[in-house]
Every structure is written in structure tokens, then in C-alpha cells.
């Protein structure tokens, strides 16, 4: 059967501050999705959280961008927002940027990752949910999973993976996309995705079968709202096993807590720490940025799970390393590269400071123009 897996997320109020989600919000969202299940819109659902974000994980047969499913998600967020307002939770409804739903949650605030596929004989999937970072955070692990033979042994030794994978890369500034094939075009892929604030991997496909293997959310709240309204805190779905990398190959890149932008005030570089749900609340300096991985087997659209994949001693060292990196980065205080570059910060006081101090800013003498001379080189 053809199944659609939709993960739609929003920050609709934090408990306490921007650190976590109050259980009553999860319950309010569950009630709405349960109605949707009973009325036949959904086959199954699971409501989860990471940091201050609520994640709606839903299965159905309506395809991606279904108005009915998106409307249900919107209603779940609205009901949960009403609860958040009663409890005066922090930033209640912060990611619901418009008053009325109009067909699709894309562009209205929430983040979306959805894929439709023919359910395999056995269908393992992993839903990743991150907090205090942006969608480019998936670039490095996705490259490792689907193109790096030092991560994914199957690329070398499994006949089902050996043809490699196709990457769909989005230019989020120019709103363009390109499809590139690994391994042949690996260096071109890296030239783009090494700049994760500009280029995001949106999806990955098997080259052997054309099937979708992974999809991410790439929504930029600041582009939607035209101003800073919070970090995008992305989600990602990855299918595993058989013609795709195994579950262990999918999780392996997260043993390296790579640096991602986000963290405090969306304006700092910090390590992405893999955590179980019991550690999915942010704390230190509003972070460090976190990622949770929930595993499911899908059976006729039913979500058999979740299994909390990072709640495992195999990731203890990654957490320890993330803490050490966090200490090291924090010691830079307000200096780059811990603090983001001027044009990437979500908060800044510099325009006000420049205005206030404008009459104290004195021009410097223009630097003297020098005639550049090509150096002489000995060439054989
Ligand atoms: C970052 C984040 C937090 C807030 C910070 C200040 O994505 O959510 O680090 O930016 O706690 O929040 P406000 O400005 O709401 O007091
Ligand atoms: Mg928040
Ligand atoms: Mg968040």
C-alpha cells in the first residue's frame, strides 16, 4: 500500500522559558489527532517533542501537502496554543504566524517533512527532531549516511546500495533546486552543502530504484515572517535497511557532535548533542542544540514505536564530547566563531549602537592605492 508519513512541528510555547514542552500541550494535540484518526484522516499518529517544539508524526494515504492533514495539524497546534496561553507558557503560539489556515501549513510557521512511499515488506523509519538549530544541521549527517563509505559500509559492500544516492539540494536564498548523484558528483555536492545556511539537502533518493530515502524540513521562519521569530528547529525522516542504509548506519554520524548555528538567541555555534527523550530539554545557555531520533516500524500505516534510539550508552561519548565542545565554545563569550557572523545573528544591537555613536565615528584616511605586481615564479 502507498503510505504518507508527515512530520509537522511548531514551537507553540515553552515550559520553562524556551527549554521544554508542557505535557498538557502534547495531550491537547493528541486529542485532535485522535479525532482525525477516528474520522479516517489519519491511519496513525504519535505526538513527540524535542526542546520547546511539538512534533506531530502522522501516517495517512492522502499524499504529501494534503490540505486535510495540514488542517488537522494546524488545529492541533491551535488547541495546544490555547492551553499554552492558559498556562502562560513562554512564547505561546510563537510559530503560528498567521491567524487563519489557508490550505497548507507551509509558509504559515510550522516546519514540515513529508514523504509518500510504497510500504515495503518491512518498513523501518527514523524521525529526527532537533531543537535550537536550523535545517542546514542535517547536511553533514545526510552526506555521511548516503555518500560517505567511511560511515556507511553498505555503500561499498552491499549490492543494494552500491549504485549510490541522488541528492536534492535547495538554494534557500534564490529558491532553486538541483539534483546531484553520489558518488560521481560528490565534490559538487560538498561544494554546495558545506554552506548549510544557504544550501540544504531537501531529499535523498535511491539511484537503484528511484525511491525516496530521506526528507527534511527546510522552512525558514525568518523568511516567512520577515523578522526573527525563533529558530527553525528542523525535522527529518530517514528510511532504513535493505535498499537503504541500515539503522546503525543512519545513526552513526551523530556520534560526532558537529557544530551547528542556533543555541542561545539563535546566534551561536554549538555542538549538536544526540539525546534520548528524557534529556530532550535544553538547559545550558539554552542548549546545547539537541537531536532526538525516534524509530518506528510502519505496518499498514501503523506506527509501531517509538523506540528512543539515542537513549543508549553507545551515544554517551558523543554527549560527553558535545559537553567538552560546549565548554570550549562558551569560553569565546561574545566572539566569533562562537557568536555567529553579523549577517547570521538572529539578535543584534549593532544598528542601534551605530546610530547612537554615529557622530563619534570618524572617517579614516582612504588607504593608498598600490599597484599590484604579479610575483615572478620559477616554472619548469
Ligand atoms: C533560541 C531560543 C532562546 C531564546 C532566548 C531569548 O532559539 O529559543 O535561546 O532566543 O531564550 O528569548 P527571549 O528573547 O524570548 O527572551
Ligand atoms: Mg521557544
Ligand atoms: Mg525550539
Amino acid at each position: 500500500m502507498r503510505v504518507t508519513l508527515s512530520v509537522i512541528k511548531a514551537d507553540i510555547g515553552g515550559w520553562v522559558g524556551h527549554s521544554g514542552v508542557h505535557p498538557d500541550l502534547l495531550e491537547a494535540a493528541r486529542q485532535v489527532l485522535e479525532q482525525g484518526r477516528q474520522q479516517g484522516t489519519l491511519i496513525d499518529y504519535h505526538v513527540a517533542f524535542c526542546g520547546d517544539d511539538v512534533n506531530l508524526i502522522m501516517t495517512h494515504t492522502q499524499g504529501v501537502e494534503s490540505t486535510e492533514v495540514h488542517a488537522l495539524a494546524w488545529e492541533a497546534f491551535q488547541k495546544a496554543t490555547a492551553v499554552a496561553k492558559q498556562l502562560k507558557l513562554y512564547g505561546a503560539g510563537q510559530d503560528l504566524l498567521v491567524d487563519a489556515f489557508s490550505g497548507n501549513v507551509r509558509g504559515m510557521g510550522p516546519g514540515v517533512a513529508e514523504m509518500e512511499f510504497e510500504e515495503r515488506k518491512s518498513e523501518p523509519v527514523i524521525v529526527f527532531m532537533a531543537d535550537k538549530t536550523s535545517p542546514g544541521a542535517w547536511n553533514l549527517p545526510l552526506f555521511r549516511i548516503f555518500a560517505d563509505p567511511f560511515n556507511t559500509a553498505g555503500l561499498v559492500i552491499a549490492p543494494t546500495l552500491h549504485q549510490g544516492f541522488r541528492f536534492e539540494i535547495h538554494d534557500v536564498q534564490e529558491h532553486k533546486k538541483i539534483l546531484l548523484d553520489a558518488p560521481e558528483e560528490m565534490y559538487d555536492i560538498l561544494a554546495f552543502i558545506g554552506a548549510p545556511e544557504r544550501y540544504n539537502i531537501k531529499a535523498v533518493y535511491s539511484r537503484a530504484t528511484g525511491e525516496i530515502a530521506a526528507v527534511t524540513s527546510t522552512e525558514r521562519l525568518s523568511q516567512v515572517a520577515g523578522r526573527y521569530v525563533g529558530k527553525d528547529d528542523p525535522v527529518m525522516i530517514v528510511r532504513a535497511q535493505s535498499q537503504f542504509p541500515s539503522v546503525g548506519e543512519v545513526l552513526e554520524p551523530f556520534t560526532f557532535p558537529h557544530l551547528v548555528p542556533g543555541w542561545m538567541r539563535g546566534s551561536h555555534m554549538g555542538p549538536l548533542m544526540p539525546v534520548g527523550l528524557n534529556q530532550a530539554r535544553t538547559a545550558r545557555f539554552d542548549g546545547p542544540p539537541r537531536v532526538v531520533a525516534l524509530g518506528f516500524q510502519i505496518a499498514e500505516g501503523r506506527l509501531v514505536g517509538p523506540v528512543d534510539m539515542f537513549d543508549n550508552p553507545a551515544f554517551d561519548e558523543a554527549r560527553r564530547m558535545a559537553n567538552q565542545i560546549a565548554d570550549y565554545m562558551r569560553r569565546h563569550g561574545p566572539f566569533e566563531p562562537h557568536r555567529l557572523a553579523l549577517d547570521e545573528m538572529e539578535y543584534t544591537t549593532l544598528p542601534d549602537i551605530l546610530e547612537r555613536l554615529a557622530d563619534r565615528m570618524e572617517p579614516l584616511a582612504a588607504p593608498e592605492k598600490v599597484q599590484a605586481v604579479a610575483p615572478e615564479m620559477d616554472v619548469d
Side-chain angles (χ1 to χ4, degrees), residues 11 14 17-18 52 90 94 132:
D11 175 348
H18 289 285
D52 55 3
Y90 197 71
Q94 76 165 52
K132 304 288 183 274

PDB file of all heavy atoms in Angstrom, residues 11 14 17-18 52 90 94 132, ligand 2:
ATOM      1  N   ASP A  11       6.850  25.357  17.498  1.00  0.00           N
ATOM      2  CA  ASP A  11       7.049  25.814  18.881  1.00  0.00           C
ATOM      3  C   ASP A  11       5.826  26.652  19.218  1.00  0.00           C
ATOM      4  O   ASP A  11       5.614  27.714  18.637  1.00  0.00           O
ATOM      5  CB  ASP A  11       8.337  26.641  18.950  1.00  0.00           C
ATOM      6  CG  ASP A  11       8.560  27.262  20.334  1.00  0.00           C
ATOM      7  OD1 ASP A  11       7.623  27.239  21.162  1.00  0.00           O
ATOM      8  OD2 ASP A  11       9.659  27.787  20.560  1.00  0.00           O
ATOM      9  N   GLY A  14       6.865  27.495  25.431  1.00  0.00           N
ATOM     10  CA  GLY A  14       7.891  26.732  26.139  1.00  0.00           C
ATOM     11  C   GLY A  14       7.597  26.616  27.630  1.00  0.00           C
ATOM     12  O   GLY A  14       6.918  27.451  28.229  1.00  0.00           O
ATOM     13  N   GLY A  17      10.519  28.798  30.031  1.00  0.00           N
ATOM     14  CA  GLY A  17      11.230  29.589  29.033  1.00  0.00           C
ATOM     15  C   GLY A  17      11.160  28.868  27.690  1.00  0.00           C
ATOM     16  O   GLY A  17      10.094  28.390  27.294  1.00  0.00           O
ATOM     17  N   HIS A  18      12.301  28.751  27.021  1.00  0.00           N
ATOM     18  CA  HIS A  18      12.334  28.058  25.722  1.00  0.00           C
ATOM     19  C   HIS A  18      12.890  26.641  25.870  1.00  0.00           C
ATOM     20  O   HIS A  18      13.411  26.079  24.907  1.00  0.00           O
ATOM     21  CB  HIS A  18      13.223  28.829  24.739  1.00  0.00           C
ATOM     22  CG  HIS A  18      12.657  30.122  24.264  1.00  0.00           C
ATOM     23  ND1 HIS A  18      11.635  30.193  23.342  1.00  0.00           N
ATOM     24  CD2 HIS A  18      12.956  31.410  24.573  1.00  0.00           C
ATOM     25  CE1 HIS A  18      11.352  31.466  23.092  1.00  0.00           C
ATOM     26  NE2 HIS A  18      12.138  32.227  23.831  1.00  0.00           N
ATOM     27  N   ASP A  52      11.676  22.871  22.953  1.00  0.00           N
ATOM     28  CA  ASP A  52      10.374  23.540  23.090  1.00  0.00           C
ATOM     29  C   ASP A  52       9.480  23.337  21.871  1.00  0.00           C
ATOM     30  O   ASP A  52       8.539  24.100  21.656  1.00  0.00           O
ATOM     31  CB  ASP A  52      10.571  25.036  23.373  1.00  0.00           C
ATOM     32  CG  ASP A  52      11.432  25.716  22.328  1.00  0.00           C
ATOM     33  OD1 ASP A  52      11.837  25.056  21.357  1.00  0.00           O
ATOM     34  OD2 ASP A  52      11.712  26.922  22.483  1.00  0.00           O
ATOM     35  N   TYR A  90       5.789  30.186  27.890  1.00  0.00           N
ATOM     36  CA  TYR A  90       6.596  31.223  27.264  1.00  0.00           C
ATOM     37  C   TYR A  90       6.490  31.179  25.735  1.00  0.00           C
ATOM     38  O   TYR A  90       6.685  30.140  25.109  1.00  0.00           O
ATOM     39  CB  TYR A  90       8.067  31.110  27.691  1.00  0.00           C
ATOM     40  CG  TYR A  90       8.773  32.393  27.389  1.00  0.00           C
ATOM     41  CD1 TYR A  90       8.488  33.536  28.137  1.00  0.00           C
ATOM     42  CD2 TYR A  90       9.627  32.499  26.316  1.00  0.00           C
ATOM     43  CE1 TYR A  90       9.078  34.743  27.832  1.00  0.00           C
ATOM     44  CE2 TYR A  90      10.224  33.705  26.008  1.00  0.00           C
ATOM     45  CZ  TYR A  90       9.934  34.827  26.773  1.00  0.00           C
ATOM     46  OH  TYR A  90      10.508  36.025  26.458  1.00  0.00           O
ATOM     47  N   GLN A  94       4.036  30.929  19.334  1.00  0.00           N
ATOM     48  CA  GLN A  94       5.054  31.744  18.644  1.00  0.00           C
ATOM     49  C   GLN A  94       5.288  31.361  17.181  1.00  0.00           C
ATOM     50  O   GLN A  94       5.595  32.228  16.371  1.00  0.00           O
ATOM     51  CB  GLN A  94       6.385  31.760  19.408  1.00  0.00           C
ATOM     52  CG  GLN A  94       7.221  30.503  19.294  1.00  0.00           C
ATOM     53  CD  GLN A  94       8.670  30.723  19.764  1.00  0.00           C
ATOM     54  OE1 GLN A  94       8.915  31.219  20.857  1.00  0.00           O
ATOM     55  NE2 GLN A  94       9.610  30.352  18.933  1.00  0.00           N
ATOM     56  N   LYS A 132      16.954  24.192  18.744  1.00  0.00           N
ATOM     57  CA  LYS A 132      17.989  25.236  18.847  1.00  0.00           C
ATOM     58  C   LYS A 132      19.008  25.152  17.720  1.00  0.00           C
ATOM     59  O   LYS A 132      20.206  25.341  17.928  1.00  0.00           O
ATOM     60  CB  LYS A 132      18.700  25.191  20.209  1.00  0.00           C
ATOM     61  CG  LYS A 132      17.765  25.293  21.409  1.00  0.00           C
ATOM     62  CD  LYS A 132      17.168  26.668  21.600  1.00  0.00           C
ATOM     63  CE  LYS A 132      16.310  26.734  22.854  1.00  0.00           C
ATOM     64  NZ  LYS A 132      14.916  26.292  22.617  1.00  0.00           N
TER      65      LYS A 132
HETATM   66 MG1  LIG B   2      10.537  28.777  22.014  1.00  0.00          MG
END
